[in-house]
Amino acid sequence: MNVEHEVELLVGEIKRLGTQNADGQYVVTFGTLFADDKCANLFEALVGTLKAAKRKKIVKYDAEILLQGVHDGVEITLLKE
C-alpha cells in the first residue's frame, strides 16, 4: 500500500472510533486505535502512518514517538479530512 492511501484509511478510522470535540474535530486516543481489530488488520505500521499524517498536518498529537502502553492515552486530533 502507498502512504497516501494508508493516510486516507487512517482518517476514516479516526472518524469511526473518535468523538468530536467542541471545535468539531475528531479525537481518538492512540490506545483506542492500536487496540482496534480492524486497525490492526488495515495498517502494517500504524505508528508510521500516524507519523506520515502528522508530517502532512492531517493529524496532531503531543508526542515524538508513540509506543503501545506508554502512550495509550495520547490524543490524536484530526485536523483535515
Side-chain angles (χ1 to χ4, degrees), residues 4-63:
E4 294 289 325
H5 181 66
E6 287 214 356
V7 170
E8 286 177 26
L9 293 174
L10 178 65
V11 168
E13 293 307 301
I14 291 172
K15 289 173 80 172
R16 180 177 69 87
L17 296 169
T19 56
Q20 285 186 301
N21 64 15
D23 296 329
Q25 297 170 313
Y26 284 90
V27 179
V28 66
T29 63
F30 176 66
T32 300
L33 278 176
F34 196 90
D36 184 71
D37 287 337
K38 186 176 177 190
C39 286
N41 292 325
L42 270 179
F43 304 108
E44 286 184 36
L46 177 61
V47 173
T49 304
L50 283 164
K51 203 180 236 186
K54 185 177 183 181
R55 247 188 325 257
K56 295 173 183 275
K57 300 195 184 323
I58 293 170
V59 299
K60 73 172 183 175
Y61 53 88
D62 295 329

